Amino acid sequence: MDSPKTALADPKIIDGKDISQAVKGELALAVAEAIKGKTRNPGLAVVLVGDNPASKAYVKSKIAACKAVGIESFLIELPADTAQAVVAEKVKALNLDQKVDGILVQLPLPKQISSAAILALIDPAKDVDGLCAVNAGLLLQGADGLFPCTPLGVMRLLAHHDVALAGKNAVVVGRSHLVGKPLAMMLLQENATVTICHSKTANLPEVCRQADVLVAACGQAEMVKGSWVKPGAVVIDVGINRVESSDGKGRLVGDVAYNEAYEQARLITPVPGGVGPMTVAMLLSNTLKAFNSRIG
Ligand code: NDP
């Protein structure tokens, strides 16, 4: 097989673009319902420090997505040499701003600023990225809260395809706070038997072969081979890696060797067009949730 199969009309492919559009359509209706009788729309503040082109592009797409569903956005742009104390003051002001339901600090921050220190300042009720300790703790406890967007997006893809999780073996390759750990907790919440793998895991291919649901979130281009996939497994590829291509422009690949894994899998996400589009949709969903719990 020469190129990744497209999502069009292939029932094996989990089409994140399509599903995210459907989610955004539902959200637009939910926002319209939520603001009835209220004096304002949900609001998302995005703090962008510096001029990293990728970050700027992400922020632009998040703001456009907000507009499309009726969420007001407030962009706070600060120069790359901004001191940590200035960013901290900005976040504290946003915590108090009544028009703001969600605060997103675009990562990575310039090196003079501690991301952990800044994220820790965000009011947990406005932490729409779900990265603060309070929300992480709520997730661990199986309680309600604002949880990280990419894992929420993965769960939504699985639900959309009615993937059974109770009693199934789920293997998550990666243990970051952003993806691996929260996703493992969400899968556990749905009664999967969850194994979390990382760079020190022994016999990784063998562990992956036990998975009914295999999630790759390790940031290693095409690391998960077809031979690591149990026939009939559901494969979710969170990875986004730019690799060289013959035309010199580079191309995006996931953490899974797609064409090989495709042959083994029952369902599989492509890269791009799989998990990626769901992340922004879940950010919007978290912002509406924050709005509803703050003023609902
Ligand atoms: P991190 O770099 O924070 O974490 C990577 C994890 O993978 C770590 O736990 C690491 O283990 C593990 N890992 C690295 N190498 C190996 C290996 N050889 N074998 C087994 N495990 C390994 O990455 P993120 O979680 O932030 O992101 C993961 C991927 O998902 C990246 O490709 C990223 O670009 C992508 N991503 C995509 C998003 C989307 O919207 N689609 C959103 C966020 C991320 P250890 O802890 O031992 O170091």
Side-chain angles (χ1 to χ4, degrees), residues 159-173:
H160 184 92
H161 281 271
D162 293 323
V163 173
L165 292 170
K168 301 295 180 187
N169 286 337
V171 172
V172 180
V173 185

Side-chain angles (χ1 to χ4, degrees), residues 150 174-176 179 198-199 204 217-220 223 238-240 276 279:
T150 302
R175 58 172 165 181
S176 70
V179 187
H198 47 78
S199 63
L204 184 59
C218 51
Q220 306 293 317
M223 185 185 84
V238 180
I240 304 175
T279 299

Side-chain angles (χ1 to χ4, degrees), residues 17 48 82 129 131 143 145-146 165 172 194 201-202 229 243 287 296:
K17 256 190 182 166
L48 175 63
T82 305
D129 259 346
L131 294 175
L146 292 170
L165 292 170
V172 180
V194 184
T201 297
V229 177
V243 296
T287 304

Side-chain angles (χ1 to χ4, degrees), residues 102-178:
I103 302 171
L104 183 156
V105 177
Q106 184 64 42
L107 301 177
L109 289 167
K111 56 183 180 311
Q112 77 276 13
I113 301 172
S114 156
S115 303
I118 295 297
L119 294 178
L121 293 173
I122 298 175
D123 177 349
K126 296 189 177 188
D127 172 33
V128 285
D129 259 346
L131 294 175
C132 79
V134 171
N135 282 315
L138 290 169
L139 178 58
L140 196 67
Q141 290 180 338
D144 196 17
L146 292 170
F147 303 140
C149 301
T150 302
L152 283 176
V154 170
M155 296 306 288
R156 193 67 181 252
L157 292 177
L158 294 172
H160 184 92
H161 281 271
D162 293 323
V163 173
L165 292 170
K168 301 295 180 187
N169 286 337
V171 172
V172 180
V173 185
R175 58 172 165 181
S176 70
H177 295 311
L178 186 65

